[in-house]
């Protein structure tokens, strides 16, 4: 990640921001997509404050997902299929959401305005549990989706050895390649969903009260 973005930074500093070429021609539209289609619509005027985090999370997950599909160094490890990895990312979002949560956010959790007192007492524990279930959903979604694809590919490849047949290999190999192409799409989608939901949770915690 450092190699990619430090080199892009030097390129922009030297040549300016007009007409990106090469790797910059791919990275810049993705950055603008996260900024214009995720951060701005969801966070509004606050998007600049959290854009660095959202971009970092997106590219960190995406690059690790893509490396997990490469069968040789520096890839070969399904990092996003490790629950500790996804848990750490979810904890960062959890901290950012709750540290920046305003009084309106906490009021709606512990003493929801405009609701009868008995209902407030009933809803407060549920809302408090929701504070923790949101990052858990981030963690499990990314972990489960990335693990499922790799397990499916591994299971199909194992059919060659189970059946001990070259004919099976003729069917399995093209099918595995097709699944790997789908996994490329999944790698991008899962990075996007994690970033999108992080932006939504941040927005809910920092949104000002409206009458």
């Amino acid at each position: 990640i450092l190699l990619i973005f430090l080199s892009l930074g030097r390129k922009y500093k030297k040549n300016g921001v007009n007409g990106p070429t090469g790797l910059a021609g791919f990275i810049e539209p993705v950055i603008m997509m996260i900024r214009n289609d995720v951060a701005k619509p969801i966070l509004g005027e606050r998007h600049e404050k959290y854009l660095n985090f959202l971009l970092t999370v997106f590219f960190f997950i995406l690059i690790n997902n893509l490396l997990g599909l490469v069968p040789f160094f520096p890839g070969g490890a399904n990092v996003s299929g490790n629950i500790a990895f996804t848990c750490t990312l979810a904890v960062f979002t959890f901290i950012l959401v709750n540290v920046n949560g305003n009084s309106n956010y906490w009021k709606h959790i512990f003493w929801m305005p405009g609701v009868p007192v008995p209902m407030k007492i009933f809803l407060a524990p549920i809302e408090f549990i929701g504070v923790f279930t949101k990052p858990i959903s981030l963690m499990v979604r990314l972990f489960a989706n990335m693990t499922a694809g790799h397990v499916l590919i591994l299971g199909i490849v194992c059919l060659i050895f189970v059946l001990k047949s070259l004919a099976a290999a003729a069917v399995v190999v093209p099918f595995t390649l097709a699944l790997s192409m789908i996994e490329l799409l999944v790698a991008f989608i899962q990075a996007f969903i994690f970033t999108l939901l992080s932006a939504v949770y941040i927005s809910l915690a920092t949104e000002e009260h409206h009458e």
Side-chain angles (χ1 to χ4, degrees):
I1 293 173
L2 286 173
L3 286 174
I4 291 172
F5 285 97
L6 289 177
S7 63
L8 288 178
R10 287 193 296 268
K11 187 173 182 180
Y12 275 110
K13 187 175 181 180
K14 181 179 179 180
N15 301 326
V17 297
N18 295 321
T21 59
L23 184 60
F26 169 76
I27 296 293
E28 183 176 311
V30 177
I31 292 174
M32 297 305 294
M33 179 196 70
I34 298 299
R35 179 176 181 268
N36 297 331
D37 297 336
V38 176
K40 267 190 174 182
I42 295 174
L43 293 165
E45 296 179 355
R46 296 158 289 158
H47 78 276
E48 293 288 351
K49 180 178 180 181
Y50 303 102
L51 184 58
N52 287 342
F53 172 76
L54 296 175
L55 287 172
T56 301
V57 166
F58 175 80
F59 282 106
F60 187 65
I61 294 173
L62 177 62
I63 291 174
N64 275 288
N65 286 349
L66 294 177
L67 286 175
L69 299 174
V70 178
F72 49 82
F73 183 85
N78 181 21
V79 182
S80 301
N82 186 326
I83 195 72
F85 174 86
T86 59
C87 177
T88 302
L89 293 175
V91 166
F92 278 119
T93 298
F94 172 80
I95 292 172
L96 190 65
V97 167
N98 291 287
V99 167
N100 290 279
N102 56 25
S103 59
N104 182 53
Y105 168 72
W106 292 110
K107 186 187 297 183
H108 275 76
I109 291 175
F110 292 108
W111 206 246
M112 194 173 295
V115 177
V117 172
M119 188 60 68
K120 289 180 179 181
I121 296 172
F122 175 75
L123 289 176
I126 298 175
E127 291 293 330
F128 182 69
I129 293 171
V131 172
F132 299 94
T133 56
K134 289 174 182 176
I136 290 173
S137 70
L138 286 176
M139 173 184 71
V140 174
R141 180 182 287 105
L142 179 59
F143 163 74
N145 280 285
M146 296 312 300
T147 300
H150 284 72
V151 169
L152 180 60
I153 291 175
L154 182 61
I156 292 173
V157 170
C158 286
L159 288 175
I160 299 174
F161 304 96
V162 172
L163 299 175
K164 298 178 181 180
S165 169
L166 290 176
V171 176
V172 166
V173 171
F175 194 60
T176 301
L177 290 174
L179 283 176
S180 297
M181 295 300 102
I182 296 174
E183 279 289 283
L184 286 174
L185 180 61
V186 171
F188 181 88
I189 291 174
Q190 291 307 313
F192 181 81
I193 291 175
F194 192 102
T195 306
L196 177 69
L197 291 178
S198 294
V200 170
Y201 296 155
I202 293 170
S203 176
L204 292 174
T206 58
E207 187 175 7
E208 296 299 329
H209 176 67
H210 299 288
E211 295 294 340

